[in-house]
Amino acid sequence: MKETIHRLSYTAGSLKLCESPKLRALEYRTIHLKQHRYFMLYKIIDTCVYVIGIYHDLQDYENALK
């Protein structure tokens, strides 16, 4: 987890927006945790990165955001 947060600190803006139209409209992005099937869903506002949540690859996270 710490390594992923470190990577996020310098790559956040270079990762692509989510493929889901709903999440893309909200400008959400993802970064995967190394050696795990989990990822962080995040959003960039100005110069800050806000982690929305941490989800498993098989989890229906899009509907969990309602």
Side-chain angles (χ1 to χ4, degrees), residues 18-34:
C18 290
E19 291 184 20
S20 160
K22 174 183 169 184
L23 299 180
R24 181 181 288 273
L26 296 170
E27 297 183 4
Y28 286 166
R29 302 167 189 257
T30 60
I31 185 169
H32 281 80
L33 279 66
K34 276 192 164 186

Side-chain angles (χ1 to χ4, degrees), residues 7-42:
R7 284 188 309 145
L8 191 58
S9 71
Y10 62 88
T11 62
S14 66
L15 299 176
K16 66 180 184 171
L17 293 170
C18 290
E19 291 184 20
S20 160
K22 174 183 169 184
L23 299 180
R24 181 181 288 273
L26 296 170
E27 297 183 4
Y28 286 166
R29 302 167 189 257
T30 60
I31 185 169
H32 281 80
L33 279 66
K34 276 192 164 186
Q35 301 176 0
H36 296 281
R37 294 187 68 189
Y38 288 87
F39 63 92
M40 291 181 187
L41 183 70
Y42 70 94

